[in-house]
Amino acid sequence: MASDTELDVIAAFNDLFDALVTRRDAEAGARLFVEDSRAVMWGSERDERATGPAEIAALHQGIADYPGELTFRWRQRHAHVHDDVAWVNADGEVTVSPMGAEPRTTPYRLTAVLVRRQREWRWHTFNGSEPNPV
């Protein structure tokens, strides 16, 4: 059974996907990251690499402006908490549905590091990958 703190971390994890792919609110997504020049968001695509608040905000805008649909489904999310640092290991799939093209679903893995600032969990590190088939 997950602790209340672990559930809070999972809620903060979910908030990012709600902001970016459900509500398409790039500013809300950027506010979920800590103000730290070393914070990173590295997605699974080659050009999805952002370091620091300005680059992360720009990457979020690109995601929010994507003309198709993005859907993440998580089979597993494991939160681990140590003091004011938490990490989540997530495994699932992402479906990319470009306008006018067939959807593509692939496995997706994500490791996230969150830090607690003023009693709120904020993202520090997003490292996503699409595992190669065996």
Side-chain angles (χ1 to χ4, degrees):
M1 181 76 179
S3 71
D4 287 345
T5 303
E6 290 168 337
L7 293 174
D8 290 342
V9 169
I10 293 296
F13 178 92
N14 292 338
D15 287 346
L16 182 64
F17 295 93
D18 178 58
L20 292 179
V21 301
T22 302
R23 295 185 288 123
R24 304 289 184 112
D25 186 342
E27 290 178 18
R31 285 192 303 270
L32 295 171
F33 270 75
V34 66
E35 285 286 329
D36 183 337
S37 64
R38 297 168 295 176
V40 298
M41 183 167 177
W42 293 352
S44 59
E45 301 297 324
R46 186 176 299 234
D47 62 344
E48 292 177 330
R49 286 182 51 112
T51 301
E55 289 183 13
I56 291 170
L59 180 56
H60 286 185
Q61 193 63 59
I63 293 167
D65 290 344
Y66 177 68
E69 295 293 323
L70 300 169
T71 307
F72 288 85
R73 285 175 294 286
W74 303 110
R75 284 187 292 279
Q76 298 177 48
R77 287 168 301 173
H78 301 286
H80 311 276
V81 179
H82 186 319
D83 297 327
D84 289 335
V85 177
W87 55 99
V88 177
N89 299 105
D91 179 58
E93 60 187 24
V94 60
T95 300
V96 179
S97 304
M99 299 274 296
E102 289 296 313
R104 178 179 64 96
T105 300
T106 58
Y108 200 86
R109 292 184 187 150
L110 175 61
T111 299
V113 177
L114 294 93
V115 293
R116 189 170 16 211
R117 297 289 188 264
Q118 299 173 333
R119 293 184 273 227
E120 297 288 331
W121 288 103
R122 298 284 181 240
W123 283 72
H124 181 281
T125 301
F126 176 116
N127 190 0
S129 66
E130 294 180 39
N132 291 324
V134 177

